[in-house]
Amino acid sequence: MTGCFARSLAGHDKTEIYIIVGEEPGYVYLSDGKLKKVENPKKKKLKHIQPVKRADALIAEKLETQKELHNEDIKRAIKEYISNMKEDNKCQNQM
């Protein structure tokens, strides 16, 4: 799941979009590039997130090859994901 988008289902950050930057049994580490930076990701239980079966290619590649991941990369990916979701919703509403 590392590199995929995830939506928070519980807590004060409910409905926020993150990128999974790490995993361990029963938990994931999430970053949004703003409040929860790559250097200090949020640890959250798997049952409290909804993974999205979509990943940003650049981020997935950097995590896989262990290249340095920047907060700007994560912010850009989340911004693109949210704008694509809004466009998809506009198209569905027009049908």
Side-chain angles (χ1 to χ4, degrees), residues 3-63:
C4 291
F5 293 96
R7 180 182 305 274
S8 175
L9 297 176
H12 70 279
D13 61 344
K14 189 175 182 178
T15 72
E16 291 294 319
I17 302 291
Y18 293 99
I19 291 183
I20 301 172
V21 293
E23 294 180 70
E24 68 179 44
Y27 292 92
V28 290
Y29 291 93
L30 306 171
S31 176
D32 66 359
K34 293 183 238 172
L35 296 175
K36 288 299 174 183
K37 301 196 184 261
V38 176
E39 304 84 30
N40 188 25
K42 180 176 188 70
K43 184 177 180 180
K44 203 154 179 99
K45 288 186 178 184
L46 280 173
K47 67 180 182 179
H48 293 153
I49 66 160
Q50 178 185 18
V52 178
K53 295 186 184 202
R54 204 172 143 211
D56 183 77
L58 176 68
I59 290 176
E61 179 187 331
K62 283 188 173 187
L63 289 170

